Amino acid sequence: MLPQKIYIIGSGCFGSTLAHLIASKLNRQVTVIDKRSHIGGNCYSYDDADTGINCHMYGSHIFHTSIKEVYDFISQFVTLNHYRHFVMTRSNGTVYSMPINLRTVNKFFNKDMTPSECKAFLEEKIAQSHIDNPANLEEQAISLIGKDLYKAFIRGYTKKQWQRDPKELPSFIIKRLPFRTTYNCDYFNDTYQGIPVGGYTKLFEGLLNHPNIDLKLNTNYQDIKDTIKEDDIVIYTGPIDEYFDFCFGKLEWRSLDFKWEVLNEQDHQGCACMNEADEDVPYTRTHEFKHYHPERKEVLESNKTIICREYSKEYKDGDTPYYPVNNDRNQELLAKYQEKAKNLKNVFFGGRLGTYQYFDMDKSILQALRFFDEHKESFN
Ligand code: UDP
């Protein structure tokens, strides 16, 4: 009998990590297919030929994790540079530090409070809202920072990002953001942070350049699925509803549009990411990619820069899916697809799209490491 073949559909964080583990630890052949012309999924980045600026094609990706196992895993292939994510946000014509920290609060209220004064000041504001058990994003945000800061920094941005009232969104989304009464303005709390020196594509090349991995780009799963035999193993990292031809209906996603510009100036905004908190500014943020590589001094000092403005939109057929929309309807639909998936013998789902989860890169890699531990005996 011919050995089972292993197919991995999608070369993002989950698919590439798993392909590497199967190829290197089990010494098994793996075919990785991707419909795009490049590896890395939405983490893909490339050096712009004219400026040498490393651009993130699908919006800013900052690697951050507190999971040592994940950090050690990626460190086999890349070194993280010393970039720290310090985001700024513009609200009503003034630029503030984001996430909300002591500097933001003092500037916004035109005060000079110490951390404990700030805590007491905000606690009083929070108490005025009388929210005991926050049930949605709006209530969660107000119970953390009070109504004024919520209206200035969260409400408009969130409405643009999700095209939904923050009352209709789950509270976990806002818990992604730290809130501090110190001057620490780091966007993330994680132990390990940075951008791979050489860019993200170096990480994916490191994962996929292996003699046991057969990589087929520009290849649609639909076009090869008839060649896959019943006993072969398929690890599918595309949207789970797509795999089942949307038989129960379509899961909703948020998608993004990017408007790119090359500018003849050294530094456009002084940071990698400028958020726009006001609802009447149509885009959510502007990325200026040269800032992600402080180690590329010549590129930083050159008189050219590349920016891109990010516009959030409802996903339609043909768009790139980015963010799952976590509401009851979609969770119920997802449960139906997951139930159907249980009946498939050799097909598994993983990654942000395959499991319909709002994952960061490290969580996708961790999911692949765990998946490998769980299934390696049966793949051997
Ligand atoms: N958010 C906000 N104002 C900001 C930044 C974020 O209201 O300036 C909210 C918004 O609801 C967003 C969520 O916080 O969806 C999570 O933000 P994060 O930066 O983690 O989003 P991502 O980078 O994944 O798009």
Side-chain angles (χ1 to χ4, degrees):
M1 197 181 99
L2 281 174
Q4 294 168 302
K5 284 189 167 178
I6 303 177
Y7 293 89
I8 294 184
I9 317 305
S11 62
C13 286
F14 183 89
S16 298
T17 299
L18 194 59
H20 180 83
L21 294 170
I22 294 171
S24 60
K25 295 207 185 283
L26 302 181
N27 194 21
R28 287 218 46 185
Q29 300 279 329
V30 192
T31 301
V32 176
I33 74 156
D34 203 302
K35 63 181 177 186
R36 289 174 169 166
S37 59
H38 61 74
I39 53 175
N42 286 357
C43 304
Y44 174 69
S45 75
Y46 60 94
D47 281 349
D48 174 67
D50 278 347
T51 59
I53 296 171
N54 188 261
C55 298
H56 302 187
M57 190 176 235
Y58 305 93
S60 290
H61 282 74
I62 299 93
F63 193 87
H64 59 99
T65 191
S66 293
I67 308 164
K68 186 165 184 302
E69 187 186 348
V70 171
Y71 175 72
D72 289 343
F73 179 75
I74 67 151
S75 299
Q76 297 174 77
F77 313 101
V78 283
T79 308
L80 294 183
N81 69 8
H82 60 283
Y83 173 79
R84 302 296 288 211
H85 203 36
F86 299 137
V87 173
M88 306 305 289
T89 185
R90 198 180 340 258
S91 174
N92 200 18
T94 301
V95 171
Y96 299 87
S97 164
M98 191 76 193
I100 295 168
N101 60 72
L102 187 53
R103 191 192 308 206
T104 322
V105 181
N106 273 335
K107 187 166 180 175
F108 183 76
F109 291 104
N110 194 21
K111 289 188 177 288
D112 185 16
M113 295 179 281
T114 63
S116 51
E117 285 166 352
C118 179
K119 264 187 208 153
F121 175 79
L122 290 178
E123 267 162 24
E124 209 182 302
K125 289 197 170 291
I126 293 163
Q128 286 162 11
S129 321
H130 305 292
I131 298 171
D132 295 327
N133 293 308
N136 55 56
L137 193 155
E138 175 169 295
E139 290 182 6
Q140 181 69 57
I142 294 174
S143 70
L144 286 169
I145 55 176
K147 253 192 192 132
D148 301 323
L149 293 169
Y150 164 71
K151 281 186 189 162
F153 298 110
I154 307 298
R155 189 172 64 182
Y157 187 99
T158 299
K159 277 182 159 179
K160 288 191 289 187
Q161 165 82 7
W162 296 94
Q163 263 172 350
R164 280 165 180 80
D165 193 293
K167 288 193 202 76
E168 291 165 25
L169 292 165
S171 47
F172 84 84
I173 293 178
I174 205 65
K175 289 196 204 144
R176 290 173 57 84
L177 292 186
F179 161 66
R180 306 189 188 100
T181 49
T182 67
Y183 285 114
N184 175 3
C185 53
D186 218 324
Y187 203 72
F188 306 112
N189 283 326
D190 287 310
T191 315
Y192 309 102
Q193 301 188 33
I195 310 283
V197 173
Y200 283 99
T201 301
K202 199 173 162 204
L203 168 62
F204 290 94
E205 283 168 355
L207 290 167
L208 294 170
N209 282 347
H210 190 284
N212 284 342
I213 297 178
D214 178 21
L215 174 68
K216 294 185 195 310
L217 295 173
N218 300 303
T219 306
N220 255 310
Y221 174 66
Q222 295 301 329
D223 298 336
I224 64 134
K225 72 174 187 192
D226 291 343
T227 64
I228 297 176
K229 305 207 171 45
E230 214 187 309
D231 278 345
D232 291 341
I233 294 163
V234 173
I235 294 137
Y236 192 84
T237 73
I240 187 169
D241 56 347
E242 187 180 82
Y243 180 87
F244 292 109
D245 294 324
F246 311 105
C247 64
F248 300 126
K250 289 186 177 180
L251 289 166
E252 290 169 287
W253 297 90
R254 297 296 298 161
S255 188
L256 301 172
D257 266 340
F258 296 102
K259 299 224 164 100
W260 293 78
E261 274 184 76
V262 181
L263 303 173
N264 290 319
E265 58 182 315
Q266 193 198 335
D267 190 352
H268 182 66
Q269 61 185 18
C271 61
C273 187
M274 174 74 74
N275 290 359
E276 298 291 343
D278 297 336
E279 219 181 322
D280 56 357
V281 177
Y283 46 94
T284 49
R285 51 190 170 186
T286 305
H287 312 271
E288 185 171 12
F289 295 104
K290 62 167 29 179
H291 293 292
Y292 284 125
H293 287 277
E295 77 281 12
R296 296 188 180 188
K297 298 215 172 3
E298 269 178 39
V299 174
L300 266 187
E301 283 160 17
S302 90
N303 282 328
K304 284 205 167 184
T305 192
I306 299 182
I307 62 163
C308 99
R309 299 195 201 289
E310 179 176 320
Y311 296 76
S312 177
K313 63 176 187 183
E314 203 72 52
Y315 171 86
K316 297 209 176 50
D317 289 347
D319 289 338
T320 304
Y322 285 86
Y323 300 95
V325 179
N326 287 99
N327 58 23
D328 292 346
R329 180 223 171 244
N330 289 315
Q331 287 309 319
E332 280 160 26
L333 204 51
L334 176 65
K336 282 191 189 174
Y337 282 117
Q338 284 174 335
E339 202 47 45
K340 200 168 165 67
K342 279 190 201 154
N343 299 325
L344 300 172
K345 204 169 66 156
N346 290 328
V347 182
F348 304 91
F349 295 86
R352 189 186 263 223
L353 305 181
T355 55
Y356 198 65
Q357 291 190 64
Y358 189 175
F359 267 168
D360 289 323
M361 287 175 274
D362 65 328
K363 300 296 179 319
S364 271
I365 293 172
L366 183 69
Q367 195 189 46
L369 295 173
R370 292 284 171 275
F371 182 94
F372 178 75
D373 287 342
E374 210 178 302
H375 293 89
K376 63 185 173 202
E377 311 297 337
S378 57
F379 291 174
N380 216 343

